[in-house]
Amino acid sequence: MLNVGVVSGNELASLVVERLADHGAVIQARSAPELSQERDSPILVSCADRSLPAFKFDLVLSVADGSEQCCPRHSPDVVLTETDPALLRKAVDQLWENRLLPFSRNKAAPRPKHRKGPAVMSPPDPAWPATAARTAERILRTSPLIVRVDHIGSTSIPGLPAKNVIDLQVGVANVSHLDQVSAHLDAAGYRAVPGKWWDAPTSYQPEPEQWAKHLHVNSDPAQHVNIHVRVVGSAGWFFTLSFRDWMRADAGHVRRYAAEKQRIASKYANDVNALNYAAEKKLWFRDYVEPQLYAWVDSNGWRPEKREEPHFMECSKVAVNPNTVTAPEFSPAATRLPS
């Protein structure tokens, strides 16, 4: 079931709730619904209090609400700005057909819906970090075995054009937790992509098992998210975080990466998917990124636990999971999977 929160607080919110009910949504006044109950509708709508974090819902909807919040965890996924009742009802109708119904179907499907189309670069979007933070908080609650979630990939690098796809890295303590966390994510609607997945090993760390991961995608058709589940301390986990911070530290790297991404995207603009784009981009990582990145890590003493920016979860002022992992001392030449 899709759990939608409608932020209360103005008179137009009630109109939105009524319109959703007209479409068949189950309306619940309480802000903490019991999702275990059997219901006829695939969509449950709750009137959400502003103080309730977004992770309580699959999607948070606000109506003509431009108020600033101090933390991304309070920001809505959708803001309806129409103030004319007729236009607002039409906007709700479109939201229902184009997002809510497909979202609920995708969440209930046994397999993720295949995402087609070539790689299309979007200008940097200031909303990407907040979207990543909301999604990461939701993911953290799916399993007690998740020890951290990090925003990674192109959308995590300020000023970099990217596909409008949020990449998140889910960290687990050891290999034995990979399957369990994957099952928890899948049950929560973050569907596992079938097959076994590895990132391309580098010449500095060639062991394939160091690059194993599980791959999941979210169910929201309006905002795609890729979820990479890796063991904390593995080479793939280490490389991903260090690459992000290396890019953030040098605007020249960002410019060169942006030019390379656009070149490859243009070359394969007529492809039915982004597989050729991804394959050719790996060559740039091998030839340009690898030698410079590992040298930068060694010369700067970079470690994941020494990030200058606070983890986005710190804004919540509450503990997320009882288990914590202290990142070990890393050496790019001698990283091993935790036992």
Side-chain angles (χ1 to χ4, degrees), residues 265-333:
S266 298
K267 180 177 179 179
Y268 298 109
N270 296 321
D271 281 11
V272 296
N273 56 47
L275 294 179
N276 287 324
Y277 167 84
E280 186 156 337
K281 197 170 65 168
K282 289 179 181 177
L283 301 178
W284 187 80
F285 271 76
R286 182 196 65 189
D287 298 336
Y288 179 82
V289 174
E290 281 183 31
Q292 297 191 67
L293 173 60
Y294 286 122
W296 176 83
V297 166
D298 282 340
S299 63
N300 288 276
W302 179 89
R303 297 293 181 268
E305 71 273 24
K306 295 181 180 180
R307 289 167 299 178
E308 293 182 0
E309 296 183 5
H311 190 274
F312 69 84
M313 285 305 304
E314 292 179 4
C315 67
S316 67
K317 306 299 183 185
V318 295
V320 177
N321 280 324
N323 47 325
T324 58
V325 167
T326 301
E329 287 300 312
F330 290 97
S331 168

Side-chain angles (χ1 to χ4, degrees), residues 28-57:
Q28 183 159 322
R30 291 179 297 149
S31 57
E34 294 293 334
L35 296 183
S36 61
Q37 299 177 18
E38 292 294 329
R39 298 179 182 275
D40 294 331
S41 174
I43 298 175
L44 174 68
V45 173
S46 301
C47 298
D49 185 272
R50 186 176 304 282
S51 64
L52 198 67
F55 69 78
K56 292 286 186 180
F57 304 95

Side-chain angles (χ1 to χ4, degrees), residues 175 178 197-199 201 205-213 230-231 234-236 335-338:
V175 174
L178 283 171
W197 295 87
W198 291 268
D199 295 304
Q205 191 59 266
E207 298 92 339
E209 68 273 12
Q210 282 281 329
W211 301 87
K213 67 178 180 181
R230 299 183 174 105
V231 175
S234 66
T335 306
R336 291 293 181 269
L337 287 173

Side-chain angles (χ1 to χ4, degrees), residues 115 131-132 135 139 164-168 190 216-220 223-227:
R115 295 170 180 173
T131 301
T135 308
I139 288 172
N164 187 27
V165 179
I166 302 295
D167 283 279
L168 295 172
Y190 299 98
H216 292 249
V217 296
N218 71 327
S219 300
D220 186 349
Q223 178 57 71
H224 293 169
V225 178
N226 293 331
I227 303 161

Side-chain angles (χ1 to χ4, degrees), residues 121 159-161 247 253-263 284:
M121 296 300 108
L160 182 65
M247 293 290 291
H253 295 324
V254 175
R255 288 192 295 270
R256 282 184 283 274
Y257 190 26
E260 183 67 6
K261 283 158 63 76
Q262 189 57 60
R263 181 190 72 79
W284 187 80

